[in-house]
Amino acid sequence: MYNLKELALMDENGKRSDGRGIDELRSIKITVGVVKNADGSAYIEFGKNKIIVAVYGPREVHPKHMALPDRCVLRCRYHMSPFSTDTRKNPAPSRREVEISKVMRESLEPSLILSDYPRAVIDVFVEVLQADGGSRCAGINAASVALADAGINMRDLVSACAAGRLSDNIVLDINDLEDKEGDADMPVAYLPNLEQVTLLQLDGKLTTTQFSECLEKAISGCKSVYEIQKEALMKKYFGNEMELKEEA
Ligand code: ADP
């Protein structure tokens, strides 16, 4: 007997519902410096996810009592536009958005040298224009690039990617259908140079062996994303020089 769920998520040749192989990322494009009024910004297309991030700061904290004497406060707001999902999303912040804002802040914080800006605040606004599974990872990737664009002192970039399980297969970069119909989803954020994990969530069940494989796969995805983040920053800041070198 056929298992219709498995047939839809992966065919007998190991091809997934969107034609990708087990270890294949969706296509990723990052553009740096897209919001004129922000101190730093980035736009990311991660498969069908489309997300814009604007960074403001370091600047004075309002309300003032939130200021910390020894370091900068990092605030993060993840928001989905009403037209970003298949059914209209209520524009008011949902529990899910509050949670994602928190985990995004926690995954970005270790990359920043916040003690360099005491009594100040950095605001990170993440606007999801189109969501297709993995929007928190895509948002973290764009946010880290936008923070670099804003010139915030940092130890490393943060690169994020999910891996998950479809039946017995551990696959890289879960899309919306795989998120909803698959068996496990593990978003991971990683500092590629410091080799530290700053976010690890798991929705679903994995054996110990599957857990290790999934984490390893997600980290390899983060490393691929890191190269694209670096390229996007290089393009903005050394764009002409790079073109001249290519011409020479
Ligand atoms: P992530 O986008 O980080 O994978 P979730 O696993 O919570 O976060 O959500 C998976 C996907 O479910 C989202 O990317 C989006 O496509 C869809 N989704 C989330 N919230 C809603 C909503 N309120 N209405 C419709 N679809 C939603």
XYZ file of all heavy atoms in Angstrom, residues 59-75 114 117-122:
200
model
N 21.149 53.965 19.549
C 20.532 55.266 19.797
C 20.004 55.305 21.232
O 20.011 54.281 21.922
C 19.407 55.520 18.794
C 18.279 54.499 18.847
C 17.259 54.782 17.766
N 16.181 53.801 17.775
C 15.169 53.802 16.918
N 15.085 54.716 15.994
N 14.229 52.889 16.988
N 19.519 56.493 21.609
C 19.045 56.690 22.981
C 17.836 55.795 23.279
O 16.992 55.604 22.382
C 18.632 58.149 23.135
C 18.807 58.675 24.531
C 18.470 60.160 24.585
O 19.043 60.927 23.806
O 17.610 60.517 25.397
N 17.790 55.246 24.489
C 16.696 54.327 24.839
C 15.455 55.100 25.283
O 15.557 56.032 26.080
C 17.088 53.404 26.017
C 16.054 52.308 26.229
C 18.462 52.826 25.839
N 14.307 54.730 24.749
C 13.015 55.228 25.260
C 12.150 54.018 25.541
O 12.009 53.187 24.653
C 12.324 56.146 24.247
C 13.053 57.421 24.032
N 13.129 58.394 24.995
C 13.781 57.862 22.976
C 13.860 59.393 24.519
N 14.275 59.083 23.316
N 11.555 53.817 26.671
C 11.664 54.652 27.866
C 13.043 54.539 28.527
O 13.663 53.471 28.495
C 10.571 54.072 28.774
C 10.372 52.666 28.293
C 10.684 52.644 26.843
N 13.460 55.629 29.137
C 14.840 55.759 29.656
C 15.202 54.698 30.699
O 16.346 54.276 30.789
C 15.021 57.162 30.263
C 15.346 58.210 29.210
C 16.317 59.225 29.815
C 17.067 60.003 28.766
N 16.361 61.134 28.226
N 14.187 54.261 31.484
C 14.510 53.311 32.570
C 14.949 51.952 32.026
O 15.463 51.115 32.741
C 13.307 53.158 33.529
C 12.122 52.491 32.904
N 12.030 51.122 32.783
C 10.996 52.993 32.342
C 10.894 50.825 32.186
N 10.252 51.943 31.901
N 14.764 51.730 30.721
C 15.202 50.462 30.124
C 16.713 50.435 29.867
O 17.293 49.380 29.596
C 14.476 50.240 28.799
C 13.114 49.611 28.951
S 12.454 49.203 27.343
C 13.467 47.815 26.884
N 17.364 51.594 29.937
C 18.799 51.681 29.627
C 19.614 50.869 30.640
O 19.264 50.801 31.822
C 19.233 53.136 29.650
N 20.692 50.239 30.164
C 21.580 49.477 31.043
C 22.916 50.216 31.138
O 23.414 50.707 30.117
C 21.792 48.066 30.489
C 20.530 47.201 30.373
C 20.838 45.892 29.673
C 19.936 46.942 31.753
N 23.494 50.304 32.375
C 24.696 51.121 32.542
C 25.927 50.547 31.840
O 26.854 51.271 31.512
C 24.894 51.140 34.060
C 24.174 49.937 34.563
C 23.025 49.704 33.630
N 25.949 49.223 31.642
C 27.192 48.602 31.148
C 27.090 48.054 29.728
O 28.070 47.561 29.189
C 27.593 47.469 32.105
C 26.485 46.444 32.254
O 25.317 46.781 31.932
O 26.776 45.317 32.672
N 25.902 48.092 29.128
C 25.814 47.534 27.777
C 24.575 48.064 27.051
O 23.697 48.695 27.646
C 25.790 46.014 27.813
C 24.538 45.434 28.426
C 24.622 43.926 28.443
N 23.330 43.333 28.765
C 22.471 42.885 27.864
N 22.744 42.951 26.583
N 21.324 42.362 28.238
N 24.539 47.749 25.786
C 23.437 48.190 24.929
C 22.273 47.196 25.032
O 22.486 45.996 25.211
C 23.988 48.203 23.515
S 22.887 48.822 22.287
N 21.058 47.699 24.916
C 19.887 46.813 24.895
C 19.621 46.453 23.424
O 19.675 47.319 22.555
C 18.659 47.555 25.478
C 17.393 46.721 25.322
C 18.895 47.924 26.923
N 19.369 45.180 23.167
C 18.996 44.766 21.810
C 17.508 44.458 21.823
O 17.038 43.666 22.640
C 19.795 43.516 21.400
C 19.508 42.997 19.988
C 19.984 43.967 18.923
C 20.158 41.625 19.776
N 16.746 45.140 20.931
C 15.316 44.846 20.814
C 15.071 44.299 19.426
O 15.645 44.779 18.450
C 14.483 46.122 21.010
C 14.366 46.543 22.458
C 13.307 47.602 22.679
N 13.582 48.845 21.981
C 13.403 50.063 22.519
N 12.949 50.184 23.745
N 13.648 51.145 21.822
N 27.965 44.235 22.721
C 27.007 45.221 23.227
C 27.619 46.119 24.296
O 27.133 47.234 24.518
C 25.752 44.515 23.756
C 24.924 43.813 22.654
C 23.808 42.989 23.266
C 24.356 44.817 21.666
N 28.440 49.871 23.629
C 27.430 50.943 23.537
C 26.560 51.003 24.803
O 25.357 50.721 24.760
C 26.522 50.727 22.316
C 27.257 50.356 21.056
C 27.279 49.032 20.613
C 27.931 51.321 20.312
C 27.961 48.673 19.457
C 28.606 50.976 19.152
C 28.629 49.644 18.733
O 29.302 49.300 17.598
N 27.161 51.348 25.966
C 26.355 51.387 27.190
C 25.259 52.442 27.098
O 25.415 53.453 26.399
C 27.378 51.722 28.285
C 28.555 52.278 27.576
C 28.560 51.728 26.191
N 24.147 52.198 27.755
C 22.991 53.119 27.869
C 22.253 53.347 26.543
O 21.406 54.224 26.461
C 23.421 54.476 28.468
C 24.228 54.371 29.764
C 24.229 55.639 30.562
N 22.895 55.998 30.994
C 22.249 55.423 31.997
N 22.815 54.464 32.690
N 21.035 55.790 32.317
N 22.595 52.575 25.516
C 21.952 52.779 24.209
C 21.060 51.582 23.872
O 20.990 50.597 24.623
C 23.022 52.953 23.144
N 20.353 51.680 22.737
C 19.512 50.567 22.273
C 19.739 50.358 20.779
O 20.018 51.314 20.040
C 18.010 50.849 22.565
C 17.483 52.039 21.788
C 17.133 49.628 22.284
N 19.637 49.118 20.354
C 19.632 48.794 18.916
C 18.298 48.111 18.645
O 17.937 47.132 19.323
C 20.802 47.850 18.544
C 22.152 48.531 18.811
C 20.694 47.428 17.074
C 23.342 47.593 18.718
